[in-house]
């Protein structure tokens, strides 16, 4: 007896949840920073790709912060990376950025809470 598989539903058939219709609950306003004589613009954390955030989080807290900066800065990241960046400034920047994005201290975007 040959196993039969159910036909794959088409995109026009009913579905249980329309993820395409989901919109952000907050305005995704960029976070603008002045550093090393230049203006930098970080995309709002809520708009960053979750898969890349999760990969960054696998490396620990600092790796996760760097991943967030890399994603948020996009094309600006290569130039940003060339600047000497003390850890105390990274912590201050990340805390201010997290606050801008409406996340509580200790809460990361990748945590889902």
């Amino acid at each position: 007896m040959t196993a039969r598989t159910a036909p794959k539903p088409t995109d026009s058939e009913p579905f249980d949840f329309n993820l395409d219709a989901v919109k952000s609950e907050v305005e995704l306003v960029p976070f603008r920073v002045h550093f090393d004589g230049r203006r930098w613009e970080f995309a709002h954390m809520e708009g960053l790709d979750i898969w890349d955030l999760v990969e960054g989080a696998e490396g620990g807290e600092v790796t996760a912060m760097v991943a967030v900066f890399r994603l948020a800065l996009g094309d600006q990241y290569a130039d940003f990376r060339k600047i000497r960046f003390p850890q105390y400034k990274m912590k201050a920047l990340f805390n201010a950025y997290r606050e801008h994005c409406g996340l509580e201290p200790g809460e990361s975007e990748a945590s889902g809470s």
Side-chain angles (χ1 to χ4, degrees), residues 31 33-37 42 65 69 80 83-97:
F31 181 60
V33 174
H34 188 269
F35 179 51
D36 198 48
F42 293 72
M65 282 192 282
F69 290 156
F80 190 80
I83 301 169
R84 184 180 178 281
F85 194 38
Q87 185 174 352
Y88 74 91
K89 287 191 183 246
M90 178 183 201
K91 287 179 182 179
L93 174 59
F94 194 72
N95 288 337
Y97 179 48

Side-chain angles (χ1 to χ4, degrees), residues 14-37:
F15 45 83
D16 297 313
F17 182 69
N18 185 358
L19 192 54
D20 290 331
V22 175
K23 303 294 180 210
S24 176
E25 294 179 4
V26 297
E27 189 176 350
L28 301 179
V29 176
F31 181 60
R32 294 172 184 95
V33 174
H34 188 269
F35 179 51
D36 198 48

Side-chain angles (χ1 to χ4, degrees), residues 40-88:
W40 304 92
E41 189 169 290
F42 293 72
H44 195 287
M45 268 193 229
E46 289 276 328
L48 301 181
D49 188 307
I50 190 67
W51 304 122
D52 293 328
L53 291 172
V54 169
E55 286 177 13
E58 291 173 351
E61 184 178 352
V62 173
T63 304
M65 282 192 282
V66 170
V68 168
F69 290 156
R70 180 179 48 80
L71 294 168
L73 285 165
D75 293 341
Q76 304 169 88
Y77 181 73
D79 288 338
F80 190 80
R81 178 64 184 84
K82 293 174 186 175
I83 301 169
R84 184 180 178 281
F85 194 38
Q87 185 174 352
Y88 74 91

